[in-house]
Every structure is written in structure tokens, then in C-alpha cells.
Amino acid sequence: GFRRAIAADANFAGAYNGLGYAAMENGDDALAESAFRDYIRSAPNEANPHDSIGEFYMLRGRYDEAEEHFTMALAIDPDFTVSANNLVRVGIERSDRRFEQAVADGDADALAALYTQTGQLLPPNESRVNGRDAIREYMAGLMSAGIDGLEISTVDLFISDDTATQINAYAVHV
């Protein structure tokens, strides 16, 4: 349907957006990226086309490109909160990948550096771990017990003003 709409009107911006998301859903990244680029071309002064391609890049782990387009969306419309929230998501995704890498490297110092001095770790079925130093010690213990990797996925993300709260699920590799 989106292709027919585009054939009828090559400037029908919304059809490019729909085609991009449909292609993403079907795993056709080349078509998705092309459709989102056409969406930008057909609506150059709107924020949403940049947000859509930014979301595509973010979901594909292409964080620099995602950040660039979310920033462009906000330059067009500073009140476009979807892109502001997506910039937060990019930062969180980057942090999650650094966390995974630090675990794979067995680097408790790098893990602890991802937390503030007053950060908290809430391990399942255990007491809260308070503060960067305690987190470093806890993570070093986990890694010495045989954990050599993990995969993090975001279950929920709550963004309000200048605070973001992330709830994760993770799979541990031993």
C-alpha cells in the first residue's frame, strides 16, 4: 500500500515513513534506510523524518548517526520531545554496550566508572549495593565467580524532565 501511495504521489511524505517502518519490521534494512531518506527529502522542514531515521539507526546500533538525526530534529523543532527522549535512549544504549564490554573484559573498574559515586545496583534476590566502590567490589566478585559476559536489554525506560530511569533484563554468560 505504501508503494502504491508513493507511485500516486512521489511527495507523499507519510507513505515513505510508513514504508520505512514496514521495511524495518520485515528486516529489509536497505529499503528502510532508503525510505526514511526519501521521507527527509519529501518533508525537509519537519522534525519527524529525522526522528524516524534516527530511530532506525539507534535500533541498528548506529548510535552516532542516530544522535546526528535526533539533534537535527531538535534543531528544526526544539520542543519535539520524542527526539529529546531518543537522545537519552542513545546515551543509555551506549552505556549498556560499554557495560557489556567491561564484563566481557573482566574490568570491574570500568564497570564501576559507569556509576556515579552514589549510584545503586539492585541485583535480583540480593541486598542493594550502594556506591561506586561497593559496586566495583560486587562486580569483581561476580566476574571472579565465572561470569564472563552478559547481554542487556531495556525492559522499560521512564524519562521525566532531567531524570531517566531504566529497567533492564539481562542474560548472563558463564
Side-chain angles (χ1 to χ4, degrees), residues 14 115 152:
Y115 291 85
I152 301 171

Side-chain angles (χ1 to χ4, degrees), residues 72-142:
M72 286 180 189
L74 289 168
I76 292 168
D77 181 354
D79 297 322
F80 199 69
T81 57
V82 173
S83 285
N85 289 344
N86 279 331
L87 277 173
V88 172
R89 288 180 61 198
V90 165
I92 288 171
E93 289 295 324
R94 281 181 172 142
S95 180
D96 287 349
R97 302 301 75 81
R98 286 192 302 267
F99 194 99
E100 290 169 344
Q101 188 62 51
V103 171
D105 293 343
D107 189 345
D109 290 331
L111 283 166
L114 294 170
Y115 291 85
T116 63
Q117 286 293 345
T118 59
Q120 297 181 338
L121 180 65
L122 304 162
N125 304 315
E126 294 185 42
S127 298
R128 182 182 315 233
V129 181
N130 295 305
R132 185 182 290 159
D133 292 336
I135 291 169
R136 178 185 300 106
E137 186 176 312
Y138 178 86
M139 296 306 288
L142 282 180

Side-chain angles (χ1 to χ4, degrees), residues 6-170:
I6 292 166
D9 180 0
N11 293 313
F12 183 12
Y16 290 111
N17 194 35
L19 179 61
Y21 280 105
M24 275 178 50
E25 183 71 26
N26 290 323
D28 188 343
D29 286 0
L31 177 58
E33 186 170 12
S34 175
F36 289 134
R37 289 198 174 283
D38 287 338
Y39 183 30
I40 292 169
R41 180 194 48 76
S42 64
N45 299 318
E46 293 181 22
N48 195 64
H50 289 285
D51 186 78
S52 293
I53 198 167
E55 184 177 4
F56 166 75
Y57 289 140
M58 178 177 60
L59 294 173
R60 298 308 183 258
R62 296 166 62 179
Y63 303 123
D64 291 343
E65 292 162 291
E67 182 176 10
E68 176 184 344
H69 281 280
F70 295 142
T71 301
M72 286 180 189
L74 289 168
I76 292 168
D77 181 354
D79 297 322
F80 199 69
T81 57
V82 173
S83 285
N85 289 344
N86 279 331
L87 277 173
V88 172
R89 288 180 61 198
V90 165
I92 288 171
E93 289 295 324
R94 281 181 172 142
S95 180
D96 287 349
R97 302 301 75 81
R98 286 192 302 267
F99 194 99
E100 290 169 344
Q101 188 62 51
V103 171
D105 293 343
D107 189 345
D109 290 331
L111 283 166
L114 294 170
Y115 291 85
T116 63
Q117 286 293 345
T118 59
Q120 297 181 338
L121 180 65
L122 304 162
N125 304 315
E126 294 185 42
S127 298
R128 182 182 315 233
V129 181
N130 295 305
R132 185 182 290 159
D133 292 336
I135 291 169
R136 178 185 300 106
E137 186 176 312
Y138 178 86
M139 296 306 288
L142 282 180
M143 289 182 292
S144 70
I147 293 177
D148 60 7
L150 61 87
E151 295 172 36
I152 301 171
S153 59
T154 301
V155 173
D156 232 329
L157 179 62
F158 306 97
I159 301 170
S160 177
D161 298 323
D162 64 349
T163 303
T165 303
Q166 177 188 27
I167 298 172
N168 289 336
Y170 55 90

